[in-house]
Amino acid sequence: MDAIAILADHVIATRYDELSEQTRAAARRLILDTVGVGLGGSTGQWTSDLFASSAGWGQGADAHVFGREGRFPAGLAALYNAYCIHNSEFDCLHEDAVVHALTAVLPAALAVAEARGGVSGRALIEAVVAGVDVAATLGLAGTAPMKFFRPAVLGGFGAVAAAGKIADLDRAQLINAFGAQYAQSCGSMQAHEEGTMLLALQIGFNARAAVESVDLARAGLLATQDTLEGRFGYFNLFEDGADLPTALAAMTGIRRIEDVVEKPFPTGRATHGAIEAVLRLLRRRACSEEDLHRVTVTVSPVAHSLVGRPVGPEMPANYARLCLSYCVARCLLAGDVAGAHFSSQALRDPQVLALAARIEVDTFDMAEPSAFGPSRVSITYADGTRAEETIGQALGHPSNPVSEGQRSDKFRANCRAALQPLEEARIVALEDRIADLDRLQDVRQLMELACPAT
């Protein structure tokens, strides 16, 4: 039996009543974060171009899209919303799996829930928890560096789990839906390397494919059955090394959504430890560029492979969000890293670029293939003194969580930044609705609050 059947059984067995309050709270917290990031991302790079170019990609009025009026076909809504969630690198993720665990899962679940109607908040929590379990478990099974973009490919498998749960697929249908998803899987690390809009759009492609795969399975499609372990299955083609049995065995005792990390900065997660270290150093001693004789940043091999890229004068925003030296330079000079620091004008700032070019980026000698921490920043000042700060788990990790105030501030700022900015009363109502998601009778009410008609 292929392991895809084990995942299908796990999805079907996931029941709201059997989830711990800790798991339910994690789901509510991360749904809030993801909805807010999606709203903020509705004004992100290339969103207008994407909407204009995709106008003929389908017809229907199934589901809402962040920042837009009206309704769209369910698959297209999932694509748009996933793109908005990831385009600013502000979305939550499971660090060890290297999967942005809700970015495809939540849009697919919401789209199917809106299309069906009458789907409760409890059902949404149940589906999201199952979807994150699937995406993170498959990511954790990989033991070699990524060559395909896991947040897209494995996010798609998680999205099938969540959307299939909402659609009440049976075991055979879920297995077929996973097979149909695999046939459509996409996600190149080249988009990550170059920082193009395709990085976020790849997640959107897989979210849309998940909605369509569920439709195909409900219609009776017979898809591949050995999707994960077959001769040409996922683990033989997409991963250079894997330990699937260990990951599957752990799935029975751990709800992976509890391990998901919230991002306090709109940058690649692998930059966050260094940013936090800089902030701590600045609290100890304020400095100007002239005060900085030497700055060295040391990160894990995985973090270095993801964000240890050179700074350049014509960087796209998505490249810069994944450029450790740029993010550290910005933080040193501005005392923060914010969305405004990735505008076209900000990315041409000669002072920041000059400082970033001077920052030395090094790696720790460590064996963990998926570890994002620790991160260390060392500064030698012009007067010869030296200071150093090391961060084990960066802010936002469950062991170093953001505060309720920080979470709410992020959510509200993202709501105000939407293409259709939300009024304060609506922001409060949306935040309260998600906090009370377990009692919500129809998920459509949530999206109607998030996407008001003008």
Side-chain angles (χ1 to χ4, degrees), residues 7 11-12 105 126-128 130-135 155-167 174 177-178 210 214:
L7 293 180
V11 172
I12 291 169
V105 165
E126 189 179 81
V128 168
V132 172
D133 275 351
V134 167
F157 281 108
V160 164
K165 188 75 171 170
I166 295 287
L174 262 177
F178 282 128
V214 167

Side-chain angles (χ1 to χ4, degrees), residues 125-268:
I125 290 172
E126 189 179 81
V128 168
V129 168
V132 172
D133 275 351
V134 167
T137 295
L138 292 175
L140 288 165
T143 58
M146 288 188 295
K147 59 180 181 180
F148 290 91
F149 189 49
R150 282 184 195 156
V153 178
L154 298 186
F157 281 108
V160 164
K165 188 75 171 170
I166 295 287
D168 199 27
L169 297 189
D170 62 27
R171 184 177 192 263
Q173 289 172 323
L174 262 177
I175 290 172
N176 284 320
F178 282 128
Q181 178 71 27
Y182 179 54
Q184 302 176 80
S185 293
C186 69
S188 165
M189 282 299 288
Q190 193 61 35
H192 184 284
E193 187 90 355
E194 297 182 22
T196 77
M197 71 173 292
L198 283 173
L199 188 63
L201 193 52
Q202 288 175 155
I203 300 181
F205 290 152
N206 283 276
R208 178 180 63 180
V211 173
E212 295 168 351
S213 294
V214 167
D215 287 342
L216 289 168
R218 290 179 65 213
L221 170 77
L222 296 179
T224 55
Q225 304 296 294
D226 295 332
T227 296
L228 295 180
E229 299 175 283
R231 180 183 173 196
F232 300 106
Y234 172 80
F235 282 103
N236 281 322
L237 291 189
F238 281 71
E239 296 283 0
D240 286 336
D243 182 3
L244 185 56
T246 298
L248 290 172
M251 186 172 63
T252 60
I254 301 172
R255 290 296 181 180
R256 293 299 180 184
I257 198 165
E258 295 180 23
D259 301 330
V260 172
V261 169
E262 297 171 78
K263 283 186 175 182
F265 310 109
T267 64

Side-chain angles (χ1 to χ4, degrees), residues 3-326:
I4 200 68
I6 298 174
L7 293 180
D9 289 338
H10 180 81
V11 172
I12 291 169
T14 299
R15 299 293 181 192
Y16 173 87
D17 291 340
E18 297 177 6
L19 301 177
S20 70
E21 180 50 35
Q22 185 173 348
T23 296
R24 297 172 188 172
R28 291 190 296 268
R29 180 176 72 247
L30 295 166
I31 289 170
L32 177 80
D33 180 77
T34 305
V35 168
V37 170
L39 286 166
S42 66
T43 55
Q45 272 200 316
W46 298 298
T47 50
S48 296
D49 300 303
L50 174 60
F51 276 82
S53 66
S54 59
W57 288 6
Q59 295 184 357
D62 300 318
H64 288 86
V65 168
F66 294 130
R68 298 281 166 171
E69 289 186 60
R71 295 172 185 261
F72 299 79
L76 196 54
L79 182 152
Y80 286 156
N81 287 335
Y83 178 78
C84 289
I85 292 166
H86 191 60
N87 65 15
S88 59
E89 285 286 347
F90 218 178
D91 47 333
C92 60
L93 79 158
H94 193 290
E95 286 188 352
D96 290 337
V98 197
V99 172
H100 292 267
L102 273 76
T103 305
V105 165
L106 184 61
L110 287 172
V112 174
E114 284 203 87
R116 288 175 69 85
V119 175
S120 70
R122 290 187 174 197
L124 180 65
I125 290 172
E126 189 179 81
V128 168
V129 168
V132 172
D133 275 351
V134 167
T137 295
L138 292 175
L140 288 165
T143 58
M146 288 188 295
K147 59 180 181 180
F148 290 91
F149 189 49
R150 282 184 195 156
V153 178
L154 298 186
F157 281 108
V160 164
K165 188 75 171 170
I166 295 287
D168 199 27
L169 297 189
D170 62 27
R171 184 177 192 263
Q173 289 172 323
L174 262 177
I175 290 172
N176 284 320
F178 282 128
Q181 178 71 27
Y182 179 54
Q184 302 176 80
S185 293
C186 69
S188 165
M189 282 299 288
Q190 193 61 35
H192 184 284
E193 187 90 355
E194 297 182 22
T196 77
M197 71 173 292
L198 283 173
L199 188 63
L201 193 52
Q202 288 175 155
I203 300 181
F205 290 152
N206 283 276
R208 178 180 63 180
V211 173
E212 295 168 351
S213 294
V214 167
D215 287 342
L216 289 168
R218 290 179 65 213
L221 170 77
L222 296 179
T224 55
Q225 304 296 294
D226 295 332
T227 296
L228 295 180
E229 299 175 283
R231 180 183 173 196
F232 300 106
Y234 172 80
F235 282 103
N236 281 322
L237 291 189
F238 281 71
E239 296 283 0
D240 286 336
D243 182 3
L244 185 56
T246 298
L248 290 172
M251 186 172 63
T252 60
I254 301 172
R255 290 296 181 180
R256 293 299 180 184
I257 198 165
E258 295 180 23
D259 301 330
V260 172
V261 169
E262 297 171 78
K263 283 186 175 182
F265 310 109
T267 64
R269 177 63 180 175
T271 70
H272 280 212
I275 293 171
E276 187 179 354
V278 169
L279 290 173
R280 292 188 183 185
L281 289 167
L282 290 175
R283 284 195 290 269
R284 286 155 53 183
R285 174 175 174 172
C287 61
S288 65
E289 183 185 5
E290 292 74 21
D291 296 324
L292 300 170
H293 173 68
R294 183 179 183 183
V295 180
T296 302
V297 182
T298 308
V299 294
S300 73
V302 169
H304 189 275
S305 71
L306 294 172
V307 298
R309 56 188 58 189
V311 70
E314 300 295 333
M315 297 183 295
N318 280 7
Y319 180 100
R321 293 179 193 275
L322 299 166
C323 179
L324 181 62
S325 57
Y326 178 81

